[in-house]
C-alpha cells in the first residue's frame, strides 16, 4: 500500500507536469521525481492512477520534457482550436496551421525518434507549405476531371484546402497593422499558442516569426499525431531544405521562392467566406 509521502510526491509530479514551460533541467526536484518514476514501477503505477483520476493519460515521463500529459474528451483540461482561435471562420485555417507546423518540423519520420533533432519553422514557410499542398490538390483534381481529387474516405479535404486559398497570406489594415484575418496572422497565433504551452520556442522575427521545437512537442506529435498525419503533405511532393524552407516536386509546383512572395493587400468580403461547418 502506498504511503502518504508517495501520494504527495505523485501530486507534486503532476503539478510540475501542468507547468508546460518547465523542464527537469530547470528544477532539481522535478528531475528527481522524473528519475524516480522511470526507475520505480510502483511509483509510476501510482502516477498513472492519479492521472486517470483527472481523466488524463501519461504520454511520457522524459528526462528532457518531463511529465507529458494527454487529455481525454471527458477532462476539464482538454483544449481545442476553439480555445485559442475565437472566430469560427478562422478555425479551419488554424487547424491546417497545426498540421503544417508538425509536418514542417518533422518532415522525415525518423526525426520524431531522434532526440537530437530540433525542428525549425517560420510563419511564412508554414503558409507556403499549405498553399502549395492546396495547389497540388487542385492540379490532381484537374487531371482526373473530378471535383475532389482526394481519396473517397476524405470527401471534405479538398474543400478545406480551397477554403485556405480564399484567404490572403498577408493583408494590412489602414494603419499598416497585419490584418487579423490573414493567414499569416492566424498561423502566428497558433505558433504563439504552442510557444506559450511549451511546445515551441521563439527564435526570431524573420519570415513572420521563427520558432524551434521542444522535446515536449516532439513527444506529443510522435505519440498523438502519428506517422500518417505527417505523411499527408509529404505525399503531395513537399520536401524541406536544411534551412527549414519547403520545396515542391510537383510538375506544376512553383519554385521554393514562392515562400518569399507577398499577396495583394486585400481580403475578400466577410460574406464571401464559406461556412466553416461545411469544410
Amino acid at each position: 500500500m502506498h504511503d502518504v509521502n508517495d501520494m504527495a510526491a505523485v501530486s507534486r509530479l503532476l503539478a510540475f507536469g501542468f507547468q508546460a514551460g518547465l523542464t527537469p533541467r530547470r528544477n532539481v526536484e522535478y528531475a528527481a521525481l522524473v528519475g524516480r518514476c522511470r526507475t520505480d514501477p510502483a511509483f509510476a503505477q501510482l502516477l498513472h492512477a492519479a492521472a486517470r483520476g483527472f481523466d488524463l493519460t501519461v504520454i511520457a515521463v522524459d528526462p528532457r520534457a518531463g511529465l507529458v500529459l494527454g487529455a481525454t474528451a471527458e477532462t476539464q483540461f482538454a483544449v481545442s482550436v476553439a480555445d485559442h482561435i475565437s472566430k469560427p471562420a478562422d478555425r479551419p485555417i488554424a487547424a491546417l496551421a497545426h498540421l503544417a507546423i508538425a509536418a514542417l518540423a518533422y518532415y522525415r519520420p525518423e526525426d520524431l525518434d531522434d532526440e537530437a533533432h530540433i525542428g525549425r519553422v517560420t510563419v511564412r514557410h508554414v503558409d507556403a507549405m499549405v498553399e502549395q499542398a492546396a495547389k497540388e490538390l487542385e492540379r490532381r483534381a484537374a487531371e482526373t476531371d473530378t471535383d475532389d481529387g482526394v481519396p473517397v474516405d476524405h470527401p471534405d479535404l479538398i474543400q478545406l484546402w480551397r477554403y485556405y486559398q480564399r484567404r490572403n497570406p498577408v493583408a494590412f489594415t489602414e494603419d499598416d497593422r497585419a490584418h487579423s484575418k490573414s493567414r499569416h496572422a492566424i498561423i502566428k497565433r497558433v505558433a504563439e499558442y504552442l510557444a506559450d504551452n511549451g511546445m515551441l520556442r521563439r527564435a526570431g522575427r524573420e519570415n513572420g516569426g521563427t520558432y524551434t521545437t521542444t522535446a515536449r512537442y516532439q513527444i506529443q506529435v510522435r505519440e498523438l499525431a502519428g506517422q500518417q498525419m505527417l505523411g499527408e503533405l509529404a505525399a503531395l511532393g513537399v520536401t524541406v531544405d536544411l534551412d527549414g524552407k519547403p520545396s515542391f516536386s510537383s510538375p506544376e509546383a512553383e519554385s521554393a521562392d514562392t515562400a518569399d512572395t507577398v499577396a495583394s493587400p486585400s481580403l475578400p468580403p466577410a460574406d464571401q467566406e464559406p461556412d466553416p461547418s461545411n469544410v
Side-chain angles (χ1 to χ4, degrees):
M1 184 174 181
H2 301 287
D3 61 25
V4 174
N5 289 334
D6 286 343
M7 293 297 297
V10 163
S11 297
R12 186 67 172 157
L13 182 52
L14 281 171
F16 284 131
F18 286 133
Q19 301 178 56
L22 184 65
T23 65
R25 294 175 181 175
R26 297 171 58 187
N27 187 288
V28 174
E29 182 185 4
Y30 192 8
L33 289 170
V34 166
R36 180 180 177 186
C37 191
R38 291 169 60 84
T39 58
D40 184 343
F43 186 74
Q45 186 178 33
L46 184 60
L47 173 66
H48 281 262
R52 286 197 302 271
F54 289 100
D55 288 319
L56 297 169
T57 60
V58 177
I59 296 175
V61 183
D62 183 84
R64 300 171 302 144
L67 176 60
V68 183
L69 296 166
T72 65
E74 295 78 18
T75 182
Q76 61 180 328
F77 299 106
V79 295
S80 67
V81 172
D83 294 315
H84 58 282
I85 302 295
S86 59
K87 296 181 179 179
D90 293 342
R91 291 171 190 166
I93 309 296
L96 286 174
H98 275 287
L99 170 64
I101 287 171
L104 191 57
Y106 305 106
Y107 64 95
R108 299 177 304 178
E110 58 266 31
D111 291 337
L112 286 170
D113 296 315
D114 181 3
E115 293 188 358
H117 176 79
I118 298 177
R120 186 178 182 89
V121 300
T122 76
V123 168
R124 187 169 293 220
H125 292 161
V126 168
D127 180 64
M129 172 178 272
V130 183
E131 171 69 14
Q132 190 57 42
K135 290 179 180 179
E136 175 63 9
L137 284 172
E138 287 194 340
R139 184 188 68 81
R140 292 184 183 185
E143 283 186 351
T144 57
D145 194 26
T146 63
D147 291 333
D148 300 304
V150 297
V152 176
D153 56 341
H154 294 289
D156 296 326
L157 182 60
I158 188 68
Q159 297 304 323
L160 185 57
W161 299 122
R162 284 174 176 164
Y163 182 77
Y164 193 87
Q165 286 186 305
R166 292 178 69 93
R167 293 289 187 94
N168 277 1
V170 180
F172 297 96
T173 61
E174 292 181 357
D175 58 356
D176 291 331
R177 290 182 295 108
H179 201 296
S180 63
K181 290 179 64 178
S182 69
R183 295 191 323 224
H184 283 197
I186 296 171
I187 294 169
K188 179 76 171 180
R189 291 206 297 274
V190 169
E192 286 293 304
Y193 171 81
L194 292 172
D196 288 342
N197 286 274
M199 305 294 182
L200 300 178
R201 292 192 181 96
R202 299 171 182 89
R205 296 182 179 180
E206 63 272 19
N207 287 308
T210 301
Y211 301 83
T212 57
T213 58
T214 65
R216 178 182 291 269
Y217 188 58
Q218 183 183 46
I219 291 170
Q220 289 274 11
V221 173
R222 182 176 65 220
E223 300 299 329
L224 298 181
Q227 300 289 339
Q228 183 175 357
M229 183 201 77
L230 297 179
E232 289 179 358
L233 292 179
L236 296 174
V238 178
T239 58
V240 180
D241 299 331
L242 293 178
D243 62 356
K245 193 174 186 177
S247 299
F248 314 103
S249 57
S250 164
E252 300 296 325
E254 299 177 12
S255 70
D257 289 339
T258 55
D260 296 322
T261 61
V262 177
S264 59
S266 62
L267 285 172
D271 58 3
Q272 291 184 16
E273 297 288 1
D275 183 353
S277 63
N278 294 328
V279 299

